[in-house]
Amino acid sequence: MHFPTLIARKRDGQPLAPGAWRASLAAYLDGGIPEYQMAAMLMAVVWRGLTDAELAELTLAMLESGERARPAAGSAPRADKHSTGGVGDKISLVLAPLAAACGLVVPMMSGRGLGHTGGTTDKLEAIPGFRTDLTLPEVEAQLARIGVAMFGQTETIAPADRRLYALRDVTGTVPSLPLIAASIMSKKLAEGLTALVLDVKAGSGAFLPDPAEATELARVMCRLGAAHGCRTTALVTAMDRPLGRAIGNALEVEEALLVLDGEGPADVRELSLQLTAEMLVAAGLARGPEAAREQAEEALGSGAALERFAQLIEAQGGSPALVDDPAALPQAREVELFEAPRAGVVARVEPRALGEAVVALGGGRRALGEAIDHSVGFVVSVRPGQRVQQGEPLASVFARDPAGIAEGLAALGRAIVIGDAAPGPALPLVLDRVAAIDVEPTGS
Ligand code: URA
């Protein structure tokens, strides 16, 4: 195999021959293909896409690059949720303990921040002492004890996606329907799931902003899931504004704790409940959507989900006292308010500008393997459509130094657009639902 020839073939819009993706991936993981060549190939895929057969082969090769959980026959249903990436998307932090408190087994493998979007693994690592580098035996032992484990990819669990994900993050090669589908489905299918629920983001802050493209991504992933015998459904949800108020790792953990405690922003609570209910139905733990919703509301309202989060933190090396004392999270050295530069109506809160600013403040990566500052970010208290007065505080910026504050205030100035009249309608929180599509399982 001569990889530069394959790159040129993909650049020219030709499909690769059967077996070429599997062989290329194996060579890349063995060090036989350098990062710069794989980066060129990924960029060619961004432009030219993959055929269905190439996508199926790439996903399977990525899935088989590492170990897979194989739950014993007759064990409790396993379910998980994955988001295609958003700004302020801390749903997993609420949903994983909530779904476990409802009786599901939740082996949640997550990624790090990608492009302008945050990653659950980075958010969890904002919790002092929290270990995300669990081995599969550790995951299984924890699932048997408390029904939930939240972990990152390692050399043994979905290593191909871990390597490609990190490379895509720093080479402008994230926004590609087949690359997103292969990335998400390869790691999720490694978890040995009964059911998977996908949160596919649409709107300006999503990797695929066009709702029609987002729905197509949802369909492609549901089909891949079904082909591997995993009941997969998807909600297409709004990312034309940030989700909730907090953006940035430690700030988002704090907001998730509020939601688990029965408070917090309504959109984070609502989406957490809807996605959890989807999981309960798909995994066969609830009779129907209404019963599932009631079960999820009960587990949130009773404090059972918060209690499960405390157990999860303790099981993975942190202090469970954090749930009552979020001040133990990393705190930014500098904090400053952003005030409305004029009176009017908030026309937009642009998520992408804020996500990119978190990376610029040090809360995300610009080079492979960079360390990040978990304390930085924003809390934005206004929503599109809200009337504001000049000088009214609209948001706070959290930074490590005065230069970061200046950068953050400038980003807020770009992101929060104030007009004279009420803006057009925002996207509904849930735009669409894609149900599992019947496909012959491949028996993998
Ligand atoms: N989330 C993932 O896990 N992979 C992607 O490519 C995008 C979002």
Side-chain angles (χ1 to χ4, degrees), residues 288-372:
E290 277 162 27
R293 171 79 188 212
E294 268 173 38
Q295 221 173 312
E297 280 185 5
E298 162 65 22
L300 196 57
S302 68
L306 183 64
E307 169 64 24
R308 195 63 66 104
F309 195 46
Q311 290 171 2
L312 171 81
I313 293 173
E314 185 168 33
Q316 294 190 218
S319 164
L322 181 94
V323 301
D324 299 316
D325 179 24
L329 289 163
Q331 303 290 318
R333 251 178 303 201
E334 307 279 339
V335 184
E336 202 158 310
L337 286 175
F338 172 81
E339 292 165 353
R342 54 164 286 195
V345 182
V346 176
R348 282 203 315 277
V349 178
E350 193 42 65
R352 189 174 287 261
L354 295 177
E356 285 168 355
V358 170
V359 177
L361 293 180
R365 294 173 191 80
R366 284 191 276 209
L368 275 174
E370 217 169 44
I372 62 170

Side-chain angles (χ1 to χ4, degrees), residues 386-411:
Q386 203 170 314
R387 185 162 285 285
V388 296
Q389 298 305 319
Q390 184 175 8
E392 185 180 328
L394 305 184
S396 304
V397 51
F398 297 76
R400 50 185 160 198
D401 53 31
I405 292 289
E407 195 160 358
L409 291 174

Side-chain angles (χ1 to χ4, degrees), residues 43 94-95 123 130 146 178 205 211 213 228 243 262 342 361 376 396 398 401 423 433:
M43 187 57 88
V94 179
L95 171 142
K123 291 172 204 186
F130 196 100
I146 61 168
E213 246 195 301
H228 288 269
L243 191 54
R342 54 164 286 195
L361 293 180
V376 301
S396 304
F398 297 76
D401 53 31
R433 176 173 185 276

Side-chain angles (χ1 to χ4, degrees), residues 82-85 111 114 161 165 168 174 179-180 183-184 187 207:
H82 196 82
S83 156
T84 57
L114 190 62
D161 180 56
Y165 188 96
R168 288 167 61 217
V174 175
L179 292 181
I180 295 172
S183 162
I184 291 178
K187 60 179 164 263
F207 288 124

Side-chain angles (χ1 to χ4, degrees), residues 222-223 225-227 231-232 435-441:
C222 285
R223 232 178 277 132
R231 257 174 264 148
T232 309
I437 294 160
D438 285 331
V439 179
E440 274 303 292

Side-chain angles (χ1 to χ4, degrees), residues 3-389:
F3 198 61
T5 307
L6 298 187
I7 300 172
R9 199 174 158 78
K10 184 48 69 186
R11 177 201 64 203
D12 295 342
Q14 303 297 317
L16 303 195
W21 275 109
R22 177 175 289 282
S24 303
L25 204 65
Y28 171 62
L29 293 178
D30 278 354
I33 292 176
E35 301 288 353
Y36 60 83
Q37 285 185 344
M38 187 51 84
M41 176 60 107
L42 292 170
M43 187 57 88
V45 175
V46 168
W47 284 102
R48 296 300 196 166
L50 295 178
T51 63
D52 288 351
E54 286 178 289
L55 175 59
E57 179 181 321
L58 177 62
T59 307
L60 187 58
M62 288 170 70
L63 168 62
E64 289 177 346
S65 70
E67 291 176 307
R68 296 166 68 174
R70 297 200 185 268
S75 48
R78 290 181 175 223
D80 194 7
K81 176 285 325 186
H82 196 82
S83 156
T84 57
V87 175
D89 184 357
K90 68 279 297 171
I91 297 292
S92 292
L93 303 176
V94 179
L95 171 142
L98 174 57
C102 292
L104 285 169
V105 172
V106 187
M108 185 178 276
M109 182 175 0
S110 313
R112 298 193 175 279
L114 190 62
H116 63 282
T117 69
T120 301
T121 303
D122 289 332
K123 291 172 204 186
L124 289 167
E125 288 178 358
I127 298 172
F130 196 100
R131 270 187 64 212
T132 58
D133 62 341
L134 304 185
T135 62
L136 264 189
E138 284 176 319
V139 168
E140 290 300 331
Q142 189 171 313
L143 290 175
R145 265 199 340 276
I146 61 168
V148 56
M150 298 182 82
F151 50 102
Q153 295 150 271
T154 63
E155 282 308 326
T156 61
I157 310 173
D161 180 56
R162 189 173 79 116
R163 289 272 306 275
L164 292 175
Y165 188 96
L167 185 58
R168 288 167 61 217
D169 185 29
V170 292
T171 54
T173 52
V174 175
S176 152
L177 190 156
L179 292 181
I180 295 172
S183 162
I184 291 178
M185 295 311 289
S186 63
K187 60 179 164 263
K188 292 288 137 170
L189 292 170
E191 296 172 351
L193 300 175
T194 317
L196 172 64
V197 174
L198 298 161
D199 179 2
V200 181
K201 301 291 184 197
S204 56
F207 288 124
L208 301 181
D210 176 7
E213 246 195 301
T215 302
E216 179 56 20
L217 172 61
R219 286 208 189 96
V220 167
M221 291 195 289
C222 285
R223 232 178 277 132
L224 282 170
H228 288 269
C230 173
R231 257 174 264 148
T232 309
T233 64
L235 298 184
V236 179
T237 70
M239 189 35 67
D240 58 341
R241 68 259 181 194
L243 191 54
R245 293 190 281 262
I247 308 160
N249 297 297
L251 296 166
E252 291 190 44
V253 174
E254 191 169 344
E255 187 165 278
L257 286 172
L258 277 178
V259 176
L260 283 164
D261 206 14
E263 298 171 43
D267 56 350
V268 178
R269 175 186 158 85
E270 179 57 28
L271 199 50
S272 303
L273 287 168
Q274 285 203 30
L275 289 162
T276 304
E278 282 283 334
M279 283 165 74
L280 288 167
V281 174
L285 269 205
R287 282 187 315 282
E290 277 162 27
R293 171 79 188 212
E294 268 173 38
Q295 221 173 312
E297 280 185 5
E298 162 65 22
L300 196 57
S302 68
L306 183 64
E307 169 64 24
R308 195 63 66 104
F309 195 46
Q311 290 171 2
L312 171 81
I313 293 173
E314 185 168 33
Q316 294 190 218
S319 164
L322 181 94
V323 301
D324 299 316
D325 179 24
L329 289 163
Q331 303 290 318
R333 251 178 303 201
E334 307 279 339
V335 184
E336 202 158 310
L337 286 175
F338 172 81
E339 292 165 353
R342 54 164 286 195
V345 182
V346 176
R348 282 203 315 277
V349 178
E350 193 42 65
R352 189 174 287 261
L354 295 177
E356 285 168 355
V358 170
V359 177
L361 293 180
R365 294 173 191 80
R366 284 191 276 209
L368 275 174
E370 217 169 44
I372 62 170
D373 183 338
H374 293 98
S375 71
V376 301
F378 301 97
V379 173
V380 180
S381 45
V382 280
R383 314 292 293 165
Q386 203 170 314
R387 185 162 285 285
V388 296
Q389 298 305 319

